[in-house]
Amino acid sequence: MAGGSPRQRAPPTALPRGRGRPRGGATAEGGAGRQHAPPGALGRGAPGELRGRPASAPQVPRPAQRALRAVRRASRSAQEPSGEGGERERERERGAGEDSRGSSELLPTDLSAAEPRGAATRRRPRWPGCAKPPGHRPSPALEHGLRRGLCFYYWGLFDGHAGGGAAEMASKLLHRHIQEQLKDLVEILQDPSPPPLCLPSTPGAPGSSDSSHLVGPQSCWSSQKEVTHESLVVGAIENAFQFMDEQMAKERRGHQAEGGCCALVVVYLLGKVYVANAGDSRAIIVRNGEIIPMSQEFTPETERQRLQLLGFLKPELLGGEFTHLEFPRRIQPKELGQRMLYRDQNMTGWAYKKIELEDLRFPLVCGEGKKARVMATIGVTRGLGDHNLKVCSSTLPIKPFLSCFPEVRVYDLTQYEHCPDDVLVLGTDGLWDVTSDCEVAATVDRVLSAYEPNDPSRYTALAQALVLGARGTPRDRGWRLPNNKLGSGDDISVFVIPLGGPGSYS
């Protein structure tokens, strides 16, 4: 929800009441409602097909509009239609003018736009190349100007912990950082030639002086590395996450950005879907019954070696309270001198070592599964925020071990012909804790097959079915799934983004 509170959850039809208040809350941004994105959003790009909030949309200035209308009138003056046919022609012209002024629907982001006014601003389509009303053809002058800009679509799930401030701040600002990073790439991405390795600096700017004397022998550079346009977009998204985290650190008091949040973001640009994940949310594509993972969870278990390496290289971060080594269980003082299984930052297997006094410290990574923790405190290792997070009953900060950088995976929509049943499913960990990928794929097939392919409510029904299925139903011993296991007690936010339907991805 654009500018929505991170504690807003799915509506009553999708999220039954009766469970405890969520600890952090999840903010869903970019989709229609809190459960799904509408069909055709990726395929057609029309304003009526994407109801998710854009970062911003540019406006044609009123003087430019008046000038364009004057040009049209001048071009008609030599051969003005008359009679009944002329009246119809003038009606069509007035109708086209109304279309160009816009509609109440939301727009994708145009990368040539100025700084967006606000996270929840509803903008009217002023640049038909970004969102064309059906049947409307922009003037040649406008079409020429539109070639300088690009449009992208954006969805985001932000699952907060230790408070909802960080999730709310990210939901309002992260898309702006992504837009800002992509602005510099507009001309490069539209040029089919390989991206330049170095951009010219401004004359007189720092670093613009001759530095040829600093260049070493060229023998070490046997060949030039190939950089793709795709990797530029990935780098822009990664930088945007970093700048968002830095802004949280600087403004956390003013914005009351307490706690932290996991972030799962989808960007559609130039026929490709970029899925960026920092946390334990998950995204999968269900295509013709096939499951394509588009993210991985970042937990103390999946990032154990990275955490241990940092603790080994910078033991001061452990504060003399923790050890970077991992043991199968907590060591007892009476076991000093004995040999016990362990593993360090370089190992995937286990070996024996003699227990020493330092090994009695609490392990940096402990527990397994959903109970795994970093410094006995937090269960995720990537995300935004957490700048004030400390070890319990200690002043030892945990933030140095947490990364704000996402993993970005790319899916090329142009390489496969998609049908209306092909979808991208995004969900917070509340869904995946009790639902496997295969179960989600089965639900996709069951729900969508019950609706006509052109019925937009089918995706709403699918999102609701996923949320309700993970929540379970109330019974004597709490909320239970059909297999009598406990339902999810965590926040559950789901996006269903259709990949197929009429239109072109080019």
Side-chain angles (χ1 to χ4, degrees), residues 439-463:
E439 290 172 330
V440 168
T443 303
V444 169
D445 179 67
R446 174 176 56 83
V447 175
L448 295 185
S449 62
Y451 291 81
E452 293 295 327
N454 60 350
D455 185 353
S457 65
R458 65 204 304 257
Y459 303 105
T460 307
L462 173 55

Side-chain angles (χ1 to χ4, degrees), residues 164-176:
E168 183 174 3
M169 185 175 180
S171 72
K172 293 179 179 179
L173 300 177
L174 180 56
H175 67 278
R176 296 190 181 189

Side-chain angles (χ1 to χ4, degrees), residues 11-292:
T13 58
L15 185 60
R17 294 183 298 173
R19 302 306 291 256
R21 183 183 182 91
R23 291 185 294 276
T27 295
E29 166 155 344
R34 286 177 286 274
Q35 298 168 324
H36 77 290
L42 297 183
R44 289 187 286 272
E49 305 304 330
L50 177 65
R51 284 173 277 177
R53 183 184 56 72
S56 69
Q59 299 185 6
V60 176
R62 292 187 182 276
Q65 294 179 4
R66 290 195 292 270
L68 286 172
R69 287 196 290 268
V71 170
R72 295 191 188 105
R73 288 196 296 270
S75 65
R76 292 196 304 266
S77 61
Q79 191 176 2
E80 180 71 20
S82 58
E84 183 179 351
E87 184 61 30
R88 285 198 297 267
E89 183 69 29
R90 285 189 287 273
E91 276 298 322
R92 284 195 294 269
E93 181 63 31
R94 284 195 293 270
E98 285 295 322
D99 283 343
S100 67
R101 282 195 290 275
S103 69
S104 60
E105 298 292 339
L106 293 177
L107 282 175
T109 298
D110 186 289
L111 298 184
S112 62
E115 180 68 16
R117 295 181 181 178
T121 302
R122 295 175 65 91
R123 304 295 293 275
R124 294 173 180 265
R126 302 282 185 169
W127 291 69
C130 292
K132 304 181 184 69
H136 173 64
R137 180 177 180 82
S139 66
L142 278 180
E143 283 187 328
H144 176 73
L146 288 170
R147 295 192 186 103
R148 297 194 302 268
L150 291 174
C151 300
F152 76 94
Y153 294 90
Y154 169 93
W155 296 262
L157 282 180
F158 303 95
D159 190 2
H161 50 259
E168 183 174 3
M169 185 175 180
S171 72
K172 293 179 179 179
L173 300 177
L174 180 56
H175 67 278
R176 296 190 181 189
H177 287 287
I178 294 177
Q179 180 190 17
E180 193 63 31
Q181 293 300 307
L182 289 175
K183 272 184 181 180
D184 297 334
L185 305 177
V186 171
E187 293 184 3
I188 297 175
L189 294 177
Q190 294 181 100
D191 187 349
S193 60
L197 298 187
C198 184
L199 298 177
S201 59
T202 305
S208 61
S209 59
D210 182 23
S211 58
S212 58
H213 62 283
L214 300 177
V215 179
Q218 298 298 317
S219 58
C220 61
W221 298 96
S222 57
S223 62
Q224 179 175 294
K225 285 189 176 181
E226 292 186 3
V227 178
T228 63
H229 292 85
E230 179 181 294
S231 65
L232 290 181
V233 178
V234 171
I237 296 173
E238 291 171 335
N239 274 341
F241 270 69
Q242 182 183 23
F243 290 139
M244 182 72 256
D245 193 62
E246 291 175 353
Q247 184 178 0
M248 284 183 174
K250 295 176 182 177
E251 304 176 13
R252 59 183 181 272
R253 290 177 181 162
H255 283 265
Q256 296 181 345
E258 73 279 1
C261 69
C262 301
L264 177 60
V265 164
V266 174
V267 171
Y268 168 73
L269 176 65
L270 294 175
K272 294 183 179 181
V273 174
Y274 298 82
V275 180
N277 183 44
D280 58 359
S281 298
R282 189 187 306 175
I284 65 171
I285 287 177
V286 181
R287 186 186 69 188
N288 194 25
E290 177 189 3
I291 299 171
I292 304 174

